[in-house]
Amino acid sequence: MAQPLAREVAEEVAKLNGVCVRPVALRRLDLVTGKDEIIDVPCGATLESKCPSCAKRNRQLRMAQCREGWHLTEEPIVTPDAATEEQRWLVEFRADMQARRDAAERAGEETHDWDAVLEGLDEEINEAGMRGTVVGRTAPKRVRSTRRRQDAPDLPKRKMASTTLGRTFEAGDGKVYRPSLFVTLTLPSYGKVRDGVPVDPETYDYRRAARDALHFSKLVDRFVQNLRRVAGYDVQYFATVEPQKRLAPHLHMAIRGTLPRSEVKQIAAATYHQVWWPQADEVRFEGEHLPVWEEEAGYLDPDTGEVLPTWEQALDHLDAEPLHMIRFGDQVDVKGVLAGTPDADQSIRYLSKYLTKSLGEGLDNSAQRHHTARFVEALRYEPCSPTCPNWLRYGVQPKGAKPGMAPGRCRSKAHKPEHLGYAGRRVLVSRKWSNKTLAEHKQDRRTWVLEALGQTDEPTDQHRYVWRPVKPGDPDLAPVGMRLLRSVAERQRWRAHLRELEARASGQDLSATEHEGRAA
Ligand SMILES: [Zn+2]
Ligand SMILES: [Zn+2]
């Protein structure tokens, strides 16, 4: 251990053992014992492969969450809780991390790692049961004129019952069945595809594909609204957004309760979303010919010196047609699932199969890489949001315009090859799904492991510890490779102990093995 190993080797070993490869070091002062030490906190990467170990653990957690909520038999109780210590701690910690990130940026350092940490923290903050982001929404939502309000599609509307549970059915023998749905929704065709690659890339509609991906989450919201209206109860769902081979996002959704399949198909067919944004088809500025920034005035036309319309002004003068209209494709798959059947388990595995992969991952041949490159190129100049610098290309000042903006250089993740237009959450869970937050599901698992180890899971006294970030160059901070190996050793110790206990208990209590996958 005295000889520091190459970081890569340590990382490989850590991955094999399911140990976090990007731990965040924190100083912890124990107010009871006075001990002040450095503790590695798992990065908590929720998705993709930044840290496969944390991503995998989160996937398992999501599967548990999906399983517990799907066939709930009692109405969930949802009451907003007061901010807990954990939440407050997370918010304070996030503020520290933000300060360090900004300091790094000022010093001209690479901030990628800090950004990743912040992103992870934001997710964690949300998962700790808080809504929205710490930065928060400041501007009130704009009220659009009624002329442009989206019409409710032509669908049956049932009276709302105040329940989140679906109907149950009693069989002749008195057994009660609790049916639910597993729905898969895809986007329409943009041109013929073979093996995930367009047969004719020249005619493949990349622009439509790009815009559909950018606005996919809005379409999903509409679908849920319509579903609830038709179903007549407060439908709950657990959904994941996953990539198709042709690079379009698609949706798997576990729905509590049931509707006739034909109705679900009807809802999907009737659901649409219109994007009421300024035009983005006619290029006004590009290359070296770009709007210029003037303090107090904003962006000006480089030829005439005229101030370009602001975002708000542009919204007041929209065309009669929306910029974009998005719908689902014809392929709607609706499957009935019964509680507690192997079918239900299989659906959950299927639902979470690709969660640890990014949308743009898994390209194995040059045709696919070429397809990705074209898709990324189509996304490059598409405005991803009202604040996207790409609006300058179409003669509009982005919302919150500031100096240094240039079309094609938006840093939002929607434009990145890993995200391919979809920058939203990969897991969408309705509020009254499992009656538990992700933090509570996490706690369940911890409690189980501790019980198996024969320890009581006493709530730690939140006031016992004072946590602080570790200052760069802290002499107590071991090289990361060494820290990883220490965590591996600890993990192996505890696994061996767990195995020993299991071996001793085998034959007496087989119920524990059911949880094995979750503990590992
Ligand atoms: Zn990690
Ligand atoms: Zn953008």
Side-chain angles (χ1 to χ4, degrees):
M1 284 291 274
Q3 194 98 51
L5 262 177
R7 178 172 178 167
E8 294 84 69
V9 178
E11 254 189 42
E12 280 313 310
V13 177
K15 278 181 203 166
L16 285 174
N17 283 276
V19 164
C20 175
V21 297
R22 299 163 63 108
V24 179
L26 292 174
R27 249 188 194 288
R28 187 181 75 177
L29 172 65
D30 185 333
L31 294 177
V32 174
T33 63
K35 194 173 180 191
D36 189 1
E37 61 187 327
I38 291 180
I39 302 280
D40 275 325
V41 180
C43 75
T46 45
L47 286 181
E48 291 137 38
S49 320
K50 278 177 206 158
C51 172
S53 307
C54 288
K56 198 173 154 203
R57 246 197 310 283
N58 270 295
R59 177 174 171 258
Q60 286 168 348
L61 213 53
R62 290 300 197 174
M63 287 170 78
Q65 185 186 28
C66 182
R67 192 177 299 121
E68 285 191 35
W70 204 352
H71 301 98
L72 224 57
T73 51
E74 303 280 330
E75 208 65 68
I77 308 141
V78 180
T79 41
D81 302 322
T84 64
E85 282 296 328
E86 190 203 356
Q87 292 169 339
R88 236 171 284 146
W89 183 86
L90 279 168
V91 171
E92 279 163 27
F93 181 53
R94 196 199 180 285
D96 288 344
M97 290 293 120
Q98 182 76 49
R100 292 184 67 183
R101 185 218 166 268
D102 294 345
E105 189 176 40
R106 277 196 301 277
E109 290 162 21
E110 179 56 60
T111 61
H112 188 84
D113 283 356
W114 293 118
D115 289 334
V117 169
L118 287 171
E119 205 178 295
L121 276 168
D122 277 340
E123 298 233 7
E124 194 128 341
I125 286 169
N126 282 330
E127 279 151 12
M130 284 178 277
R131 298 183 168 274
T133 63
V134 176
V135 183
R137 220 173 257 123
T138 45
K141 257 193 138 176
R142 185 186 164 84
V143 185
R144 230 184 268 114
S145 74
T146 47
R147 188 173 65 85
R148 298 204 174 88
R149 207 185 55 209
Q150 306 219 22
D151 299 321
D154 187 19
L155 286 169
K157 191 177 169 180
R158 298 213 171 88
K159 203 174 164 311
M160 266 305 227
S162 65
T163 174
T164 72
L165 308 178
R167 293 173 52 184
T168 52
F169 299 88
E170 207 180 306
D173 57 0
K175 200 175 169 210
V176 176
Y177 290 93
R178 197 168 284 282
S180 56
L181 291 176
F182 186 69
V183 176
T184 300
L185 298 167
T186 45
L187 285 168
S189 166
Y190 309 111
K192 204 168 180 311
V193 169
R194 199 177 298 133
D195 292 331
V197 177
V199 174
D200 179 9
E202 294 312 314
T203 57
Y204 191 80
D205 197 344
Y206 280 101
R207 166 172 287 178
R208 175 154 283 272
R211 288 184 180 170
D212 277 3
L214 285 168
H215 300 286
F216 187 66
S217 57
K218 283 284 185 332
L219 186 66
V220 174
D221 288 350
R222 296 258 170 222
F223 176 74
V224 171
Q225 284 168 15
N226 292 335
L227 184 69
R228 286 188 173 147
R229 188 181 299 139
V230 174
Y233 69 99
D234 191 7
V235 179
Q236 301 298 305
Y237 60 90
F238 180 102
T240 58
V241 176
E242 294 191 341
Q244 280 182 297
K245 220 173 173 191
R246 62 172 178 150
L247 305 178
H250 74 163
L251 185 83
H252 295 304
M253 188 178 247
I255 294 170
R256 184 151 79 228
T258 195
L259 275 84
R261 286 164 48 150
S262 60
E263 262 182 21
V264 177
K265 292 193 177 194
Q266 200 188 340
I267 297 163
T271 297
Y272 65 93
H273 172 69
Q274 295 176 328
V275 183
W276 289 101
W277 277 359
Q279 73 83 22
D281 295 306
E282 186 199 323
V283 177
R284 286 196 50 200
F285 305 104
E286 64 181 326
E288 298 291 300
H289 182 236
L290 291 177
V292 288
W293 173 261
E294 196 179 278
E295 217 46 65
E296 317 231 325
Y299 280 97
L300 316 179
D301 184 317
D303 307 320
T304 63
E306 226 175 308
V307 182
L308 295 179
T310 62
W311 176 253
E312 294 296 319
Q313 287 165 345
L315 282 193
D316 287 336
H317 296 94
L318 289 179
D319 296 339
E321 293 288 306
L323 169 69
H324 187 63
M325 161 108 139
I326 170 174
R327 298 179 164 279
F328 291 113
D330 300 331
Q331 275 187 40
V332 178
D333 193 58
V334 186
K335 207 171 102 183
V337 178
L338 284 175
T341 59
D343 235 17
D345 275 345
Q346 203 197 346
S347 299
I348 292 167
R349 273 196 299 278
Y350 189 62
L351 195 85
S352 53
K353 193 169 169 192
Y354 298 104
L355 270 189
T356 55
K357 301 251 184 299
S358 70
L359 289 177
E361 215 175 306
L363 312 164
D364 24 71
N365 60 49
S366 73
Q368 283 173 356
R369 280 192 292 272
H370 189 67
H371 177 44
T372 311
R374 288 195 74 140
F375 196 28
V376 171
E377 192 53 31
L379 279 163
R380 189 164 171 213
Y381 293 112
E382 274 304 326
C384 67
S385 69
T387 55
C388 186
N390 285 347
W391 285 114
L392 291 173
R393 184 174 168 90
Y394 307 102
V396 171
Q397 300 201 49
K399 190 177 176 183
K402 50 180 188 281
M405 289 179 137
R409 302 224 323 250
C410 177
R411 288 169 58 189
S412 152
K413 58 182 190 178
H415 302 280
K416 300 212 164 100
E418 315 82 280
H419 294 281
L420 295 172
Y422 181 78
R425 289 176 150 242
R426 294 282 301 277
V427 181
L428 313 164
V429 193
S430 63
R431 193 150 164 261
K432 299 169 189 164
W433 177 256
S434 68
N435 225 356
K436 281 179 194 165
T437 63
L438 205 56
E440 285 166 328
H441 284 291
K442 214 180 266 183
Q443 186 61 32
D444 280 355
R445 193 159 81 172
R446 182 186 141 86
T447 305
W448 179 82
V449 170
L450 288 174
E451 268 170 15
L453 290 171
Q455 294 169 4
T456 47
D457 186 18
E458 277 170 36
T460 42
D461 178 4
Q462 300 274 5
H463 300 287
R464 177 167 176 177
Y465 301 113
V466 178
W467 296 84
R468 285 156 300 150
V470 174
K471 292 204 180 62
D474 186 320
D476 293 343
L477 185 64
V480 73
M482 197 180 284
R483 287 159 55 206
L484 293 183
L485 291 184
R486 264 185 214 149
S487 300
V488 168
E490 200 176 309
R491 170 76 47 122
Q492 282 172 341
R493 250 199 319 276
W494 124 172
R495 257 200 206 136
H497 188 42
L498 208 58
R499 262 200 303 276
E500 201 180 299
L501 287 168
E502 265 174 1
R504 228 180 286 162
S506 71
Q508 298 161 22
D509 180 17
L510 284 169
S511 67
T513 50
E514 183 196 325
H515 295 273
E516 205 171 28
R518 290 165 67 190

